[in-house]
Every structure is written in structure tokens, then in C-alpha cells.
Amino acid sequence: MEVTTENPPVRLLSLFNHVFPNMSPERVIKTPGREMWVASTSAPNDILTLYVSETNARTYFTVRSARRKETARSRPLPSWARIISGVAVLLCDQNMDVPGMFIAIAGNEPQGPRYDYALGMTFAALCYHLNHQLCTDNTLLELVERVRREYIEGI
């Protein structure tokens, strides 16, 4: 397991093992500027499977289905996953690799729009890490704001 920050929360590791049995996280990352953590491992395909602990919600999509704002099964994406899927689309458009993964996210952010932004920032931090690119909380916030304007609102 590659841990990029010290002392990841035990509940995140426990959650990952519960949600994705027989797997271990390959990486654990804390989101810059937020109390959000992500644990992930590679998938054998291009599907991104996400589980969010605070809402006990799960979804999965590919970058291709995210362009249509749908899950991998052609259903509408849940509202909590829209910023995450938009991040995947915008980063792919910037020639970043967004491979299939199993992802668990846990944190201490309050529910609401700030929480949805934090989810997007957490997923973006993971993608930046995978592509060996540095990011700051401002970089992540600017990306998520761009996702809101261009992907969510379609401006």
C-alpha cells in the first residue's frame, strides 16, 4: 500500500476492506485543504467504482458514460457523483489518465454543496497523484468550480 500522508483514518481502511472485500488499497491520500480521505486500488477494466462513507452511497461509471452524465449501466448519475464524474471528464480532456479503480472516500466535511465540492476535490487529488502531478487546495477548488460551470451547468 502506498500512503502519501501520515496516519490515515482507520475507519477509511476498515471501510475499504468492508466495501471491497478481498482487496487492499494501493494508495491512501488526504485531500489538500480538506478533511477528506480517499483509498483506492486499480480495477481490471475502465470502470470507476465509488463508495462514499458518510452517505453509504455507491455508484460506478466510465469516463465515456460520465460524458453522457450516466452510470456504466446507462442510468442517471446520482447527484453526489456529478462533480466527481465531471472531474474525470475534464481531466481526461486535459490528457490525464483516469483509469478504472475501486475507490472509498471518507471525511469530516459537513453535508451540502461544500461536501459535494470536497468529494470532487478528493477524486481530483487522487487523479493528480496517479498522474504524478502536484496540486494544491486552490488547484483543486478551481478545477471543481470549472466542473460546476462547464459540466454541471453546461456553460
Side-chain angles (χ1 to χ4, degrees), residues 23 46 54 135 146:
M23 293 185 203
D46 62 347
E54 285 71 29
C135 62
R146 189 171 156 221

Side-chain angles (χ1 to χ4, degrees), residues 31 34 36 52 54-55 57 78-87 105 109-124 140-141 143-145 147-148 152:
T31 307
R34 297 288 185 269
M36 298 289 287
V52 177
E54 285 71 29
T55 57
S79 60
W80 63 267
R82 290 185 189 136
I83 290 179
I84 296 171
S85 63
V87 166
I105 299 174
E109 293 287 332
Q111 296 291 318
R114 178 181 166 92
Y115 183 75
D116 292 345
Y117 267 49
L119 288 175
M121 292 173 69
T122 300
F123 178 73
L140 300 174
L141 193 55
L143 174 64
V144 169
E145 182 59 27
V147 166
R148 184 193 59 78
I152 306 285

Side-chain angles (χ1 to χ4, degrees), residues 6-18:
E6 296 176 15
N7 301 320
V10 173
R11 73 182 177 103
L12 175 66
L13 302 176
S14 174
L15 170 75
F16 189 92
N17 291 326
H18 175 72

Side-chain angles (χ1 to χ4, degrees), residues 27-61:
R27 61 201 68 79
V28 176
I29 299 168
K30 182 179 183 293
T31 307
R34 297 288 185 269
E35 286 301 314
M36 298 289 287
W37 294 78
V38 59
S40 73
T41 195
S42 301
N45 51 38
D46 62 347
I47 296 175
L48 292 148
T49 303
L50 292 125
Y51 185 87
V52 177
S53 70
E54 285 71 29
T55 57
N56 293 320
R58 180 193 300 243
T59 195
Y60 36 92
F61 62 89

Side-chain angles (χ1 to χ4, degrees), residues 56-128:
N56 293 320
R58 180 193 300 243
T59 195
Y60 36 92
F61 62 89
T62 64
V63 173
R64 191 167 146 194
S65 73
R67 289 187 189 285
R68 298 185 313 269
K69 300 178 183 170
E70 295 178 340
T71 68
R73 291 192 176 161
S74 299
R75 304 259 190 228
L77 282 164
S79 60
W80 63 267
R82 290 185 189 136
I83 290 179
I84 296 171
S85 63
V87 166
V89 168
L90 263 63
L91 291 179
C92 276
D93 289 349
Q94 295 174 8
N95 296 317
M96 278 200 198
D97 186 29
V98 181
M101 293 179 274
F102 296 96
I103 302 166
I105 299 174
N108 295 319
E109 293 287 332
Q111 296 291 318
R114 178 181 166 92
Y115 183 75
D116 292 345
Y117 267 49
L119 288 175
M121 292 173 69
T122 300
F123 178 73
L126 172 62
C127 292
Y128 275 91

